[in-house]
Amino acid sequence: MTADETTYQPPETPLSQELRLPDGPVDLASHDPRATPGYPGKGKKDADAVRLAIEPELSELQERLYASGRSGVEGTPSVLVVLQGMDTSGKGGIIRHAIGMVDPQGVQLKAFKAPTEEERAHHYLWRIRTALPQPGMIGIFDRSHYEDVLVPRVRGELDEDAVGRRLAEIAQFEQELVAGGTRLVKCFLHISADKQLERLMERLDNPDKHWKYNPGDVDSRRDWPAYQRAYIEVLGATSTATAPWYVIPADRKWYRNWAVAQLLLEQLRALDLQWPRADFDVAVEKKRLAATRDVAAS
């Protein structure tokens, strides 16, 4: 089934409301990783068609954003999509199938791994600040500044007070980003332990996927309960009115990819983007261009 063979009906309730982390104590157990909230289709069989049906509008809105940035329109915003989750939760798949629907010229992608020696010589937010999207751009963080809390928290490198200070600092940093014109879309990719095991085993079973397998993933998996506790702490401390977290059920790849694309579409719609106006006389330029009609014959 293709996008032309289905009539796309958007979710009755904005997906940003469906997936937004509720206020109050965080209870990840209450979020089903296999759930499909807000999905307007029939399931996996029409997932590609449903996802591709939003591509025309998503692509146009992203082009308007990019055009405004390229034209130097004052006050042009940027968008930053933060993809955070356990190994195999689907960050790469989202980048290919959801973010892949927009013009790559308008996308800044940054994957954060363990800090380099140079990065460790600076404040932990230094490498984040240097990777922020410029006005008119959509930035994608494959992992993010939250790694600088989650990993040391699980490894015991930060005590409770240090974690609290760092989370407060991150919340303040994000408030400054939003105030400066960046729209934050923070996606926690919520995968189950069983599904992660299945996906890691699939990588080992398929030689074509061995390059995606990291033996360190098994070590992280052994710390699954500690990471879940760390995520609960992080999500609860940094989901704010202006920079909320969205909990994306990630066990079903087809839903996960559609959900992030739909969230991005809703964020771009909310920006009320317009095409930048010409800074030249269009009528004059038409006459000048017409006068060059025979230039190839000269």
Side-chain angles (χ1 to χ4, degrees), residues 191-209:
I191 187 174
S192 67
D194 288 344
K195 181 58 67 173
Q196 187 197 54
L197 176 63
E198 177 185 318
R199 290 179 183 171
L200 288 173
M201 195 62 73
E202 286 174 353
R203 292 179 181 180
L204 289 173
D205 288 339
N206 184 352
D208 294 345
K209 300 296 184 181

Side-chain angles (χ1 to χ4, degrees), residues 6-23:
T6 188
T7 300
Y8 178 71
Q9 297 295 329
E12 294 184 5
T13 301
L15 196 64
S16 55
Q17 293 183 27
E18 292 264 14
L19 298 182
R20 182 169 177 158
L21 185 71
D23 294 337

Side-chain angles (χ1 to χ4, degrees), residues 74-127:
E74 186 176 356
T76 297
S78 62
V79 177
L80 176 58
V81 180
V82 173
L83 302 177
Q84 194 70 48
M86 296 292 287
D87 300 313
T88 78
S89 57
K91 296 176 285 293
I94 288 169
I95 292 167
R96 286 192 301 275
H97 299 292
I99 309 304
M101 292 194 291
V102 304
D103 186 346
Q105 292 184 99
V107 176
Q108 293 177 221
L109 171 63
K110 176 65 176 179
F112 290 97
K113 301 184 182 299
T116 64
E117 184 175 343
E118 179 187 15
E119 290 168 344
R120 285 196 297 270
H122 293 82
H123 186 277
Y124 72 94
L125 286 176
W126 175 80
R127 64 174 182 164

Side-chain angles (χ1 to χ4, degrees), residues 55-290:
E55 182 174 8
E57 184 182 4
L58 179 62
S59 179
E60 178 178 328
L61 290 176
Q62 184 261 341
E63 187 177 0
R64 291 187 184 193
L65 177 66
Y66 181 60
S68 294
R70 283 288 302 270
S71 300
V73 176
E74 186 176 356
T76 297
S78 62
V79 177
L80 176 58
V81 180
V82 173
L83 302 177
Q84 194 70 48
M86 296 292 287
D87 300 313
T88 78
S89 57
K91 296 176 285 293
I94 288 169
I95 292 167
R96 286 192 301 275
H97 299 292
I99 309 304
M101 292 194 291
V102 304
D103 186 346
Q105 292 184 99
V107 176
Q108 293 177 221
L109 171 63
K110 176 65 176 179
F112 290 97
K113 301 184 182 299
T116 64
E117 184 175 343
E118 179 187 15
E119 290 168 344
R120 285 196 297 270
H122 293 82
H123 186 277
Y124 72 94
L125 286 176
W126 175 80
R127 64 174 182 164
I128 305 301
R129 294 182 187 277
T130 61
L132 292 173
Q134 299 299 310
M137 301 294 287
I138 295 177
I140 311 296
F141 280 2
D142 179 346
R143 302 188 188 274
S144 66
H145 38 297
Y146 289 101
E147 291 294 295
D148 294 294
V149 176
L150 293 162
V151 175
R153 177 60 156 161
V154 170
R155 292 178 178 175
E157 298 166 358
L158 289 178
D159 61 23
E160 187 172 341
D161 288 342
V163 168
R165 289 193 298 271
R166 192 162 284 195
L167 289 175
E169 189 173 41
I170 286 174
Q172 180 61 38
F173 166 67
E174 291 181 345
Q175 295 304 304
E176 293 170 0
L177 284 183
V178 173
T182 297
R183 181 67 65 104
L184 268 174
V185 189
K186 301 190 298 186
C187 301
F188 170 59
L189 309 181
H190 186 35
I191 187 174
S192 67
D194 288 344
K195 181 58 67 173
Q196 187 197 54
L197 176 63
E198 177 185 318
R199 290 179 183 171
L200 288 173
M201 195 62 73
E202 286 174 353
R203 292 179 181 180
L204 289 173
D205 288 339
N206 184 352
D208 294 345
K209 300 296 184 181
H210 286 176
W211 67 274
K212 297 181 69 175
Y213 183 82
N214 180 354
D217 292 346
V218 176
D219 299 324
S220 296
R221 181 173 167 78
R222 289 197 181 102
D223 290 326
W224 183 277
Y227 272 107
Q228 296 304 294
R229 291 192 295 270
Y231 266 113
I232 288 172
E233 188 174 13
V234 163
L235 295 173
T238 60
S239 193
T240 63
T242 54
W245 275 103
Y246 300 100
V247 180
I248 315 294
D251 274 14
R252 302 180 192 267
K253 296 179 181 180
W254 54 267
Y255 174 81
R256 175 201 69 201
N257 296 338
W258 168 80
V260 175
Q262 178 66 29
L263 278 179
L264 179 58
L265 175 61
E266 291 178 8
Q267 297 296 327
L268 290 174
R269 282 175 179 164
L271 293 175
D272 191 25
L273 299 160
Q274 306 298 319
W275 292 108
R277 294 185 177 183
D279 58 359
F280 49 82
D281 189 315
V282 176
V284 169
E285 291 306 307
K286 283 185 176 181
K287 291 180 180 178
R288 293 181 65 240
L289 182 59

